[in-house]
Amino acid sequence: RTGVVEVDREVRNKYIDEFDEMATVARVNLIRFSVCLVVAFKMHTRIAAEGYCFGRVSDETKRLVDFDLLRLRYLLREHEFASFGHSVGIMEPHSAHHSPRTRLGQRAYAQSITGPRDYRVDQEPNARIFVIICFWIREELFKHMNEHLNNQPWGIKERMVPVMNKLLSDCMKWYTMVDQIITTPMPLPYVSLMKVLLTCYLGSYPFFIDYKLGTYANIVIPSLVAFALLGIDAIATELENPFGDDANDLDIGECIHNLEQEIIGFL
């Protein structure tokens, strides 16, 4: 075993120079920031509807957010994670100085004694974690760009940086669109009008049944119409926020898992 280690060290000293080490550091930074980006996106979809719209999140949502923060903590350095500050916005004054892992244990113990609780969320505008990580990725791209002077031969080719920068800009645009979908609820008058009209139709239809038309016209057709109207109403309710954690929502966790598998292949 010692001989194998010595051979590996000799091969490393022969073929790996300082440029390879710098390229490895840059590649690892970009990869871990990419994973952090998708985790931060999923975490934002958990908080946006309840927290940033209505100012409170449930205990279950807070537990999932703490799990996402725990993943970010293991992917980031201490000073990078500390730079988030109050970007999440969930107020937890008694345990703000604890790590996400400690808060998960404290919450499980408290819930077993007192039951679930709600947490207040700061609704003031703030730079969210997704935006901060996008800035870090863009900073890494320009920091390791190999310009026409070839000052960083191990870096990213200059012609590739605008392409990657365009992808980051598209990510920010899609993030803004998703945030707009989640944080823009259906107008209450419109929802109330639809519910009232649907209730009036279903409640008044039996009074206009003509028994002479038979079973098909009086039972089958009205049942199909009622099923269609109630189904459209249920689908509209689900489409109001398709980025949640329900079984019929978009499976963002599976997309994150696929990205992690591809990244492991890159490493």
Side-chain angles (χ1 to χ4, degrees), residues 196-251:
V196 169
L197 292 178
L198 187 60
T199 303
C200 291
Y201 172 77
L202 296 178
S204 63
Y205 192 88
F207 297 100
F208 297 92
I209 291 179
D210 186 1
Y211 70 92
K212 298 179 181 178
L213 297 178
T215 303
Y216 185 80
N218 291 326
I219 297 178
V220 178
I221 295 300
S223 299
L224 291 177
V225 172
F227 178 78
L229 293 176
L230 292 173
I232 292 173
D233 181 70
I235 293 173
T237 303
E238 292 296 329
L239 291 178
E240 186 177 358
N241 180 15
F243 304 101
D245 296 311
D246 297 335
N248 54 349
D249 287 330
L250 297 176
D251 195 356

Side-chain angles (χ1 to χ4, degrees), residues 48 50 65 82 128 155 159-160 175 181 188 206 213 222 224 234 257 265:
E50 300 178 34
V65 169
R128 302 304 174 193
R159 64 178 179 273
M160 297 301 299
Y175 166 78
I181 292 173
L188 182 59
L213 297 178
L224 291 177
H257 174 67

Side-chain angles (χ1 to χ4, degrees), residues 28 59-60 86 93 113 115 118 131 136 153 191 239:
V28 170
D59 187 80
E60 177 65 18
H86 300 285
I113 298 177
D118 291 339
V131 180
W136 288 349
V191 175
L239 291 178

